[in-house]
Amino acid sequence: MGVFERFLSIWVAISILAGIALGNVFPNTFQVLAGLEFAHINILVAALIWLMIFPMMLQIEFRALAKIKQQPQGLLLTIILNWLLKPFSMAFLAWLFFKLIFADWVDPKSAEEYIAGMILLGVAPCTAMVFIWSQLTKGDPNYTLLQVSLNDVIMVFAFAPITALLLGVSDIQIPWGTLLLSVLLYVILPLIAAVLIRNLYERFQRENQLSSLLQQMKPWSIAGLMGTVVLLFGFQAQTILQKPYEIVLIAIPLLIQTYGIFAIAYFAALKLKLPHNIAAPACMISTSNFFELAVAVAISLFGLHSGAALATVVGVLVEVPVMLSLVGFANRTRHYFD
């Protein structure tokens, strides 16, 4: 591991502090940067995520996709956790904390909106960042691509009905632009670009140069992650300092949900005897969230300054450090899968 990978947690911690500090010192600048978006997707964040996921896309070999049918359990694990467990466990935890445990500390209207925001996070499995978590755990890039693609297809049909059921809302306005553009930006376009570049290297028999390119891109991938963290925390820097109490309350059930789902997924992967390079990405996909979609739906249903929007934003802030801790755990326990 290079210096970037070895001290990744430190770099991310520095990025979080830098984002909060810069966002409070230069609030107008970050407000302008936050406004650079299309279909609720920030252009700068999208570019940085592209920088992160492209190296993994370069590792995908389409010839190897045929072998995936030998390990269907990984796909089944992802589907069950993402669509039959995760939305309902999140809804239960949100209700438990904000209707019972925190009932005396939060007014009923805010509690309802916080619950709604957390439900939206639970119904939206990750599309982009999971490529980063897979890469950091040395996951199988071919299998990760298939898992993400399958989840995207299911999400097109299942997101609205499950959200309507759990929120008790009959008319869910899905921001299709956000959903489809995210799939295009974070899956289809980088995959096409990577395939074209990989074919060029293979066509001229320069596989060694391709390996060298991948090594050279690693630091840029980590830099993209750090830049994303700085922007995300910078966008919400003033909210973090103005509403620390609410953020802590929302973060507690989100943390329990995240670590709980990962624990279930990891234990199931062990019992299914999945290889680590399939098990780790499957667990990461089941744990992380598609925060762009959750934030967009929360704003469209409840408003920009609603408790639901705040809850989805807290999900963004919690996800990166928590997922990095799970990446570290997955790497330290790799020998369990030998």
Side-chain angles (χ1 to χ4, degrees):
M1 295 178 68
V3 65
F4 283 97
E5 294 95 333
R6 193 178 304 127
F7 300 107
L8 183 57
S9 297
I10 295 175
W11 307 138
V12 170
I14 293 173
S15 300
I16 290 172
L17 295 175
I20 296 173
L22 291 172
N24 281 282
V25 175
F26 305 106
N28 293 333
T29 301
F30 275 87
Q31 188 174 359
V32 171
L33 295 177
L36 300 175
E37 62 176 30
F38 180 78
H40 298 288
I41 294 177
N42 186 272
I43 297 171
L44 291 177
V45 173
L48 290 169
I49 291 178
W50 232 82
L51 188 64
M52 285 187 282
I53 67 178
F54 189 66
M56 183 167 183
M57 291 295 188
L58 274 176
Q59 300 175 48
I60 292 173
E61 298 182 40
F62 277 91
R63 291 187 296 271
L65 290 175
K67 300 178 182 178
I68 288 176
K69 60 185 180 182
Q70 300 171 7
Q71 292 285 351
Q73 302 97 322
L75 294 175
L76 186 62
L77 176 64
T78 301
I79 293 171
I80 291 174
L81 288 172
N82 270 334
W83 300 107
L84 298 181
L85 175 61
K86 185 179 175 182
F88 304 97
S89 63
M90 186 72 265
F92 171 74
L93 285 172
W95 172 84
L96 176 65
F97 277 87
F98 284 99
K99 286 294 187 180
L100 297 179
I101 299 175
F102 297 155
D104 295 333
W105 301 343
V106 181
D107 66 89
K109 183 178 183 300
S110 295
E112 290 286 351
E113 292 186 350
Y114 294 158
I115 291 171
M118 286 186 281
I119 287 173
L120 290 172
L121 284 169
V123 186
C126 189
T127 290
M129 292 295 287
V130 73
F131 289 111
I132 310 306
W133 314 137
S134 178
Q135 184 176 355
L136 291 173
T137 55
K138 295 182 173 60
D140 183 332
N142 305 292
Y143 208 95
T144 301
L145 172 65
L146 188 62
Q147 288 174 308
V148 170
S149 301
L150 182 60
N151 269 298
D152 288 341
V153 171
I154 295 174
M155 185 158 43
V156 169
F157 298 99
F159 181 86
I162 295 177
T163 301
L165 172 66
L166 294 177
L167 290 182
V169 179
S170 58
D171 186 20
I172 298 293
Q173 299 297 319
I174 301 301
W176 291 107
T178 302
L179 178 56
L180 298 177
L181 183 60
S182 295
V183 174
L184 179 67
L185 280 177
Y186 302 141
V187 180
I188 298 174
L189 288 181
L191 180 61
I192 291 174
V195 168
L196 291 175
I197 292 175
R198 189 180 182 92
N199 284 341
L200 281 175
Y201 275 94
E202 292 177 348
R203 185 175 181 180
F204 294 101
Q205 298 181 339
R206 294 180 177 177
E207 286 82 356
N208 291 335
Q209 292 182 11
L210 178 61
S211 300
S212 177
L213 175 64
L214 287 170
Q215 288 298 320
Q216 293 172 12
M217 292 187 69
K218 272 189 176 183
W220 290 103
S221 181
I222 303 302
L225 174 59
M226 293 168 60
T228 302
V229 172
V230 170
L231 284 179
L232 292 178
F233 278 80
F235 292 157
Q236 303 299 330
Q238 292 184 308
T239 302
I240 293 171
L241 296 184
Q242 291 171 2
K243 299 182 178 180
Y245 175 72
E246 289 94 332
I247 288 173
V248 170
L249 292 183
I250 296 169
I252 291 173
L254 289 179
L255 288 171
I256 294 173
Q257 162 83 354
T258 303
Y259 284 115
I261 290 293
F262 181 85
I264 294 171
Y266 215 61
F267 179 76
L270 279 170
K271 290 299 181 182
L272 290 170
K273 301 186 184 301
L274 295 177
H276 188 270
N277 65 347
I278 290 177
C283 296
M284 300 298 167
I285 293 172
S286 303
T287 305
S288 55
N289 301 308
F290 186 179
F291 54 80
E292 294 99 337
L293 180 62
V295 171
V297 176
I299 292 172
S300 66
L301 287 178
F302 301 96
L304 178 62
H305 302 290
S306 65
L310 177 61
T312 56
V313 167
V314 175
V316 177
L317 303 179
V318 166
E319 174 156 325
V320 174
V322 169
M323 292 304 297
L324 281 174
S325 72
L326 294 175
V327 165
F329 175 81
N331 286 334
R332 288 192 300 272
T333 56
R334 188 183 304 272
H335 59 281
Y336 290 176
F337 293 82
D338 291 343

